[in-house]
Amino acid sequence: MPRTFDGSVGWPALRARFADRLPPPTLAVLDAAVAFAAERHGDQRRPAGEPYVEHLLEALEVLVEAVGERDPDTLCAAVLHDVVEDTPTTLDEVRERFGPRVAELVGWVTKQGDREEYLAALRDAPDAALAVKLADRVSNVQRLRTHPRPAKRASYYRETVATIVPLAAGRPWFEAWYRDWQAEHADLERLDGEQS
């Protein structure tokens, strides 16, 4: 069974856990990123009803605790990865507040226009952007069975296997996690995509 991550513990608890792994300047940048994301996402909820910021914290937790990522820009981008896609925030605002590299990484993982083109373009993304995307999808699919629509569960499973799992190649932790996840959720592949 693949490991699950829990953003419901909140940033103060995660910050305390990260204190022996991340230097104070990185934690300070993450304080600012979490506050910015929480303000911008406001009272947005995920499909199963949890506050949106929990998803952002889960992506961060994947990178820090499971993958061992320490680069502050990558970690900041994990927290901010949906702020342009799902709020009125612009990449220019992200660039102004958090710098050009964070904005570039957020830009890579921001879906604009055609979903298939967006997913295909990820094959050319820099390593740090791929790490953010893989962590994002871990959070999205780790509790896929809680999604309120069975058809969405099935289609999201198939999309993840077809487009995201290949991006994990050569990244040992992600490869192993997605392999275990895929095996545990294989029944979703057989679900009729027309179920409601």
Side-chain angles (χ1 to χ4, degrees):
M1 178 174 192
R3 176 179 174 181
T4 57
F5 299 85
D6 184 8
S8 71
V9 299
W11 173 236
L14 280 181
R15 190 188 199 283
R17 286 198 341 230
F18 296 167
D20 64 341
R21 299 170 202 185
L22 300 175
T26 301
L27 290 171
V29 168
L30 291 174
D31 287 337
V34 170
F36 184 81
E39 177 211 331
R40 296 303 170 104
H41 285 283
D43 59 3
Q44 285 180 349
R45 299 269 169 179
R46 303 287 288 161
E50 67 273 19
Y52 205 95
V53 72
E54 292 180 13
H55 162 61
L56 308 174
L57 294 177
E58 287 169 1
L60 177 63
E61 184 184 9
V62 168
L63 291 177
V64 173
E65 293 193 344
V67 180
E69 182 63 61
R70 299 296 180 260
D71 175 62
D73 289 341
T74 304
L75 299 178
C76 192
V79 174
L80 300 172
H81 76 265
D82 278 334
V83 77
V84 173
E85 184 174 316
D86 294 332
T87 80
T89 305
T90 66
L91 274 179
D92 284 340
E93 289 176 272
V94 173
R95 187 175 297 106
E96 182 180 312
R97 291 285 296 271
F98 299 99
R101 185 160 178 262
V102 172
E104 178 192 4
L105 297 176
V106 170
W108 271 104
V109 298
T110 297
K111 182 175 71 267
Q112 298 174 347
D114 183 78
R115 185 176 185 85
E116 288 183 22
E117 288 177 12
Y118 158 73
L119 291 168
L122 288 171
R123 291 187 294 245
D124 298 322
D127 285 347
L130 284 179
V132 171
K133 184 61 191 178
L134 290 166
D136 163 41
R137 189 59 71 104
V138 166
S139 172
N140 283 336
V141 300
Q142 67 179 345
R143 297 182 198 90
L144 188 55
R145 294 186 194 284
T146 67
H147 195 285
R149 294 186 354 243
K152 179 64 174 178
R153 289 180 220 152
S155 67
Y156 208 62
Y157 171 86
R158 288 190 292 267
E159 178 187 270
T160 300
V161 169
T163 62
I164 302 299
V165 170
L167 299 176
R171 298 170 176 274
W173 186 87
F174 284 118
E175 277 186 311
W177 191 93
Y178 279 108
R179 182 180 56 246
D180 293 347
W181 172 83
Q182 187 174 349
E184 187 171 289
H185 292 78
D187 60 293
L188 295 178
E189 188 166 23
R190 296 182 295 275
L191 286 180
D192 177 5
E194 297 305 313
Q195 291 178 338
S196 57

